[in-house]
Amino acid sequence: MCNQCQQKIYQFKYDYFFHYLLIYISRLRCFLCQYVSGDNTIQKTYVRNSKTFKSSYQNKKLILDVVVEDDHGRLYDFEMNNYDIQLEDEIRFLRYSER
């Protein structure tokens, strides 16, 4: 594979691409919500504005990547990280889900 192609593919590892897909590809959102919940009756999903979740934990702002609501009123917080998940991250994810 050429160097230029590798660089272009490498760009997709960032969460911008993940955000783009979840925000603009409704079929992907629906599939992920069905998969996570185990509920194949979900027909529609909606992106929620994560700015409505403005809390903090230990002086760190809780920033949610993409918050999705399904047609049953359930919320999903989809997170994207480009590194190995550490214990601190698991605690942060737990705090996010509590919100």
Side-chain angles (χ1 to χ4, degrees), residues 14-26 28-30 32-33 36 45-53 62-70 74-81 92-93 96-97:
Y14 298 106
D15 60 353
Y16 303 114
F17 185 62
F18 177 71
H19 290 177
Y20 177 86
L21 290 175
L22 283 179
I23 290 169
Y24 294 105
I25 310 298
S26 61
L28 175 63
R29 280 194 319 266
C30 191
L32 289 174
C33 290
V36 169
T45 59
Y46 313 92
V47 175
R48 294 278 305 262
N49 185 351
S50 63
K51 292 181 181 178
T52 61
F53 299 87
L62 299 178
I63 299 172
L64 305 175
D65 276 355
V66 178
V67 177
V68 175
E69 183 174 359
D70 68 19
R74 295 174 292 212
L75 296 174
Y76 305 81
D77 171 25
F78 291 103
E79 296 284 334
M80 173 67 175
N81 290 292
R92 181 167 49 95
F93 298 157
Y96 285 171
S97 66

